[in-house]
Amino acid sequence: KSFPCEFKSLLEQSNPEQVVIEACTLTGWVHDLCVENGYKVIVANPNQEAWCWKHVKRKTDKDDALKLTKLAALGQIVPVYVPCAESRQYRQLVKYRKRLVGRTTQVQNTIRALFNQQGIAIPIGMRAWTIAGLEQLGKYRKPLAQCDGLSLWQGQLDLELTALDRLWEELHTVDTQLTQIAKQDTRVQILESIPGVGRKTAEVVVAFIDDPKRFHNARQVSAYAGLVPRQHQSGETNRMGKITRRGPRLLRSALVEAAWAMLRYNPWAAELYKRICGGQKTRKKQAIIAVARKLLVRCWALLRKQEKWNPDIALTAFT
């Protein structure tokens, strides 16, 4: 079956004034098909209107569609930004690399657990995954079909080491392709000019910001990454809580990792962290989150202006 053809036929039969769809895996091609055929389309994020779905006795697709229709008629849906097809593919490849890294770590942890269960010590840290370390681990592997009742773990080890080799090959292939794309993408090169920001961090930021002009100010781009504090206000009470953590988790984690690295290589980040932290150990997390948020704002500003990092300007202003 061809879902786009069937959906196009449905549009021609119903001829709707407006199409409303939840943000999901189908969003991309549905949005593009509607735009190509001249239909107005809104992509909605139900999480933004979670109160409408809370404490309901029945939740079905039909009920959800009716609620989205009513909200759209009242103009209460904040449209979700949908990148172009090429940008979506790039974003998916960046996310896929992260998933490969996670699966690789999971396999490595499984291998360590197998040795721990047998009381066998293996090299700690990354030394276990060097050529010498893998040779030491490989001495214990054995095809599962050749294992007896007391050596089944060696068969598991053989399967896990085979899976690890395959994941490393896949990760190398994906990373090679992303490297080629980065050499031709001026946006990635602009962000790489920031001391402490590497290619992988720059790719994540570029993939999720996409068009910097879609954000009107620094607070919008910070809120998009979920790096702004929650606000609880009632009467004379106004309390600012932890960050919202809404938006792309991969973008948030990449910014925080880059913020820690920038403390060693970027005087601007080190001075900002020191000023916010104030020498108090209890404020380290707050300080690094602040550095991550301000780094995102700086990245957004550089992409919007198409300018590379200027250390003199960075040290004279904290925005």
Side-chain angles (χ1 to χ4, degrees):
K1 294 182 180 180
S2 176
F3 293 118
C5 292
E6 292 181 359
F7 184 68
K8 183 178 180 181
S9 176
L10 178 62
L11 290 176
E12 293 174 350
Q13 294 176 8
S14 57
N15 192 25
E17 295 183 3
Q18 181 173 263
V19 177
V20 183
I21 179 175
E22 292 185 12
C24 59
T25 55
L26 307 178
T27 298
W29 67 263
V30 170
H31 175 272
D32 294 347
L33 192 148
C34 291
V35 172
E36 290 174 3
N37 290 272
Y39 295 100
K40 184 179 179 181
V41 58
I42 296 180
V43 179
N45 182 5
N47 291 332
Q48 294 179 349
E49 292 83 19
W51 59 271
C52 294
W53 281 262
K54 194 174 183 181
H55 304 308
V56 293
K57 296 182 179 180
R58 187 185 69 174
K59 186 180 186 301
T60 64
D61 291 340
K62 187 175 181 179
D63 294 334
D64 292 347
L66 180 60
K67 290 180 182 179
L68 286 177
T69 303
K70 292 179 178 179
L71 290 173
L74 295 173
Q76 295 184 0
I77 292 181
V78 179
V80 175
Y81 173 75
V82 181
C84 65
E86 184 177 354
S87 296
R88 294 198 302 269
Q89 293 288 328
Y90 180 58
R91 181 183 294 184
Q92 286 298 323
L93 189 59
V94 171
K95 293 168 68 175
Y96 183 64
R97 177 184 58 194
K98 181 65 175 179
R99 286 197 294 269
L100 285 177
V101 172
R103 288 158 60 184
T104 301
T105 303
Q106 185 179 11
V107 172
Q108 290 174 339
N109 291 338
T110 302
I111 293 174
R112 286 191 179 276
L114 288 174
F115 281 97
N116 289 336
Q117 291 166 4
Q118 303 303 317
I120 301 175
I122 63 174
I124 62 175
M126 294 302 298
R127 286 184 292 177
W129 317 116
T130 60
I131 296 178
L134 290 173
E135 289 180 355
Q136 180 179 344
L137 301 182
K139 295 178 181 179
Y140 297 91
R141 69 190 302 177
K142 184 188 298 185
L144 186 60
Q146 301 177 12
C147 296
D148 55 23
L150 296 177
S151 61
L152 291 175
W153 74 273
Q154 293 177 288
Q156 297 179 48
L157 175 63
D158 180 65
L159 296 175
E160 291 295 337
L161 288 175
T162 302
L164 185 61
D165 290 337
R166 185 183 69 254
L167 286 171
W168 277 339
E169 291 178 2
E170 294 176 0
L171 185 58
H172 176 71
T173 302
V174 172
D175 203 51
T176 300
Q177 182 63 29
L178 287 173
T179 301
Q180 295 298 325
I181 296 176
K183 292 180 180 179
Q184 303 173 1
D185 196 332
T186 56
R187 300 174 299 173
V188 175
Q189 298 170 11
I190 287 175
L191 298 188
E192 283 186 289
S193 66
I194 304 175
V197 174
R199 176 182 59 84
K200 295 179 180 179
T201 302
E203 288 169 348
V204 173
V205 175
V206 168
F208 283 97
I209 287 184
D210 191 35
D211 181 11
K213 295 182 180 179
R214 66 190 180 101
F215 300 106
H216 300 292
N217 51 54
R219 182 167 181 80
Q220 284 187 0
V221 70
S222 300
Y224 169 73
L227 291 172
V228 294
R230 297 178 182 273
Q231 185 177 12
H232 302 274
Q233 185 178 28
S234 178
E236 298 180 356
T237 303
N238 186 18
R239 183 171 64 87
M240 308 300 288
K242 298 181 179 179
I243 58 174
T244 61
R245 294 187 180 182
R246 299 183 68 176
R249 181 179 179 181
L250 177 57
L251 176 60
R252 239 181 355 264
S253 61
L255 290 169
V256 172
E257 291 176 7
W260 283 115
M262 289 177 66
L263 299 183
R264 293 178 291 174
Y265 306 108
N266 194 316
W268 167 78
E271 181 63 26
L272 177 61
Y273 177 82
K274 181 180 178 181
R275 181 170 65 89
I276 297 176
C277 189
Q280 301 180 25
K281 294 183 179 180
T282 57
R283 293 182 59 84
K284 286 186 177 181
K285 290 185 179 181
Q286 296 178 4
I288 206 65
I289 291 296
V291 174
R293 183 185 69 80
K294 291 180 180 293
L295 170 61
L296 175 62
V297 172
R298 288 301 176 93
C299 290
W300 166 70
L302 293 178
L303 292 175
R304 186 184 57 180
K305 298 178 181 178
Q306 290 294 296
E307 298 178 356
K308 291 190 174 183
W309 178 266
N310 189 330
D312 297 329
I313 296 177
L315 288 172
T316 56
F318 293 94
T319 59

